[in-house]
Amino acid sequence: MRIAVVGGGISGLVAAYRLRTLLGPDADLLVLDRSDRIGGILYTGALAGEPLDLGAEAFVGRRPEVPELLCELGLESQLVTPAGLRPLVWSGGAVHSLPEGTLMGIPANAESMRGLADAATLARIAAEPERPLTWLPGSDTDVYGLVADRFGAQVAERSVDPLLGGVYAGSSRSIGVRAALPTLAAALDNGAPSLTAAVRAALPPPSNAPVFGGIRDGYRTLLDALAARSAAKFVTATPGTRLARGLRGWVVDPIGAVDAVVLATPAPVTARLLGGVAPAAAAELAGVELSSSVVVALALPRGTALPQNSGILVATGEPLRAKAFTLSSRKWPHLAHRETALVRASFGKFGDDAALSWPDAGLVAAAAEDLATVTGVDIAPSAAVVQRWPGGLAQYAPGHTARIAAVEAEVATLDGLAVAGAYLHGVGVPACVASGTAAAQRIAAP
């Protein structure tokens, strides 16, 4: 059986690995990728002579997919957890503690927002349960529209936006409630009488388990292991340019006839490839928009007096160029032992990709200057590296879940074809692992 996996990111690599385990050594697996390397938006670069992730650097630890995959591959010793420090929020020209006990920044009570929001907003949050709530079960709206209406714009811009920006490189205005906050949508569908009540119902139960996990030597360790265990043939710097029905299955240009195909490509690429075989799905995917971002990693003198926090998020509307800072040496104990202090600055959100065109020197200077502003510390990088991510993350706009359901319904009618990727059911690495697994199981099913 000859199978093409188009897209060598984490979703495609997991699909190839799972296909090998399901179909055995005789399967002929080919992985195509338009880049000259595998991994997609997971990339472990180097800073100050040591590895550092310059794309995603963590995964949600409460989901099982990544820890289980690491164990399968004999990489369990690579699993690391953060130090447990909280992030700060830069708002109104000062740092504040990130509100606790929230659902993606949406509070369950007014007290959690004290210090970050003004008195009028606190009063509005406290009184919200007394206001009638209209919600049509099954409906969807952008997060900003819901939160600003019920709690006020300050909650959306100062508490919710910084967190959504970290997940989607978007904002509450570009992200839909149903896709990004499914437990909240479910609580509203079930008749929660207020947003306060819905948040309280949607919050996960208290747990001492780490919220996030990471990989000690970077995602490259996982990517390389998946590639090796898949025993696939990798064809890099070669995009899939056309998908068509063939005499015995499918034709994927430029590699020719195959029995089955996994499309593990970004939504716009998948839309183009599906245009001739699944036009309704292609039309839906053409509506998925992407955001771009830039990561600037700085190596600082080890004694730099950075705050004892995991990072500093930036509220909407602040006159800074950077959108967030990860204080990597504070966040991750295994990085704290290095000879330099490590910080990652993030630039760009949906609708604002200007940073992609800035020169490297300008980005490094902006990162250092903005970091000095939010920390009050002299910042003197000894080394820096810039990584651009054009079109790196899909925006889960209102209606996204219905869009994806329509895509999957049409693809399900086509034997030997599966889709996988970060635009489907979550942009995080665990969701991508799950999508790659599901795609492989569909292809391998008798």
Side-chain angles (χ1 to χ4, degrees):
M1 189 173 188
R2 190 170 194 243
I3 304 170
V5 177
V6 186
I10 183 67
S11 302
L13 291 176
V14 169
Y17 164 65
R18 296 295 188 201
L19 285 166
R20 178 63 67 202
T21 60
L22 290 167
L23 299 176
D26 293 335
D28 182 10
L29 304 180
L30 297 94
V31 179
L32 282 73
D33 198 274
R34 61 184 176 181
S35 175
D36 59 1
R37 63 169 181 83
I38 60 171
I41 61 171
L42 298 184
Y43 174 56
T44 307
L47 180 61
E50 296 194 75
L52 184 69
D53 280 318
L54 300 175
E57 48 100 42
F59 55 85
V60 176
R62 292 174 182 171
R63 288 190 60 152
E65 290 90 348
V66 177
E68 289 178 356
L69 185 59
L70 290 171
C71 288
E72 278 184 52
L73 297 169
L75 298 174
E76 56 267 34
S77 64
Q78 284 284 329
L79 179 63
V80 293
T81 54
L85 301 176
R86 295 279 298 170
L88 299 168
V89 178
W90 177 264
S91 177
V95 290
H96 307 265
S97 296
L98 183 72
E100 297 192 51
T102 71
L103 184 70
M104 194 61 76
I106 308 174
N109 58 70
E111 191 59 32
S112 65
M113 293 294 296
R114 188 170 300 280
L116 184 58
D118 62 22
T121 299
L122 296 181
R124 183 168 180 164
I125 298 168
E128 190 269 342
E130 302 168 13
R131 294 171 53 210
L133 172 66
T134 300
W135 176 268
L136 180 65
S139 64
D140 203 3
T141 184
D142 62 273
V143 177
Y144 181 90
L146 176 64
V147 174
D149 174 63
R150 303 300 298 183
F151 289 157
Q154 288 185 5
V155 176
E157 294 173 351
R158 300 180 182 183
S159 183
V160 180
D161 276 355
L163 291 170
L164 285 177
V167 176
Y168 297 97
S171 75
S172 58
R173 297 176 187 270
S174 65
I175 302 299
V177 171
R178 191 162 295 278
L181 299 163
T183 58
L184 181 65
L188 292 167
D189 288 347
N190 289 334
S194 66
L195 181 56
T196 299
V199 171
R200 290 175 179 171
L203 281 170
S207 172
N208 293 324
V211 176
F212 297 108
I215 299 178
R216 181 181 303 279
D217 295 325
Y219 272 111
R220 179 172 58 203
T221 304
L222 174 58
L223 300 172
D224 288 348
L226 287 169
R229 292 281 288 272
S230 74
K233 177 184 178 183
F234 288 86
V235 185
T236 55
T238 305
T241 56
R242 185 180 72 99
L243 175 67
R245 298 302 297 261
L247 293 176
R248 62 167 188 161
W250 297 92
V251 175
V252 178
D253 288 343
I255 63 170
V258 295
D259 297 294
V261 181
V262 174
L263 297 181
T265 44
V269 177
T270 307
R272 188 175 69 249
L273 291 172
L274 289 177
V277 297
E284 292 285 359
L285 290 180
V288 176
E289 297 186 275
L290 306 181
S291 64
S292 300
S293 61
V294 180
V295 172
V296 179
L298 305 176
L300 309 174
R302 186 171 182 176
T304 302
L306 297 170
Q308 290 293 331
N309 297 90
S310 61
I312 304 170
L313 310 176
V314 179
T316 295
E318 293 299 309
L320 295 178
R321 293 149 295 183
K323 308 300 182 183
F325 299 92
T326 302
L327 306 180
S328 303
S329 295
R330 299 285 194 238
K331 181 176 181 178
W332 299 104
H334 70 287
L335 297 180
H337 298 299
R338 295 193 180 179
E339 293 303 312
T340 56
L342 303 174
V343 176
R344 290 174 19 132
S346 300
F347 294 82
K349 281 186 179 181
F350 179 66
D352 177 17
D353 58 3
L356 289 176
S357 63
W358 297 356
D360 285 6
L363 285 161
V364 172
E369 291 164 10
D370 285 357
L371 182 59
T373 296
V374 300
T375 62
V377 173
D378 289 335
I379 301 298
S382 58
V385 62
V386 174
Q387 179 64 44
R388 292 171 176 80
W389 295 111
L393 284 173
Q395 297 299 285
Y396 279 37
H400 186 80
T401 54
R403 180 190 300 276
I404 296 307
V407 170
E408 292 181 326
E410 186 173 19
V411 170
T413 67
L414 302 172
D415 290 341
L417 178 65
V419 293
Y423 64 87
L424 289 170
H425 302 290
V427 298
V429 175
C432 291
V433 171
S435 79
T437 297
Q441 291 170 339
R442 169 170 163 74
I443 295 299

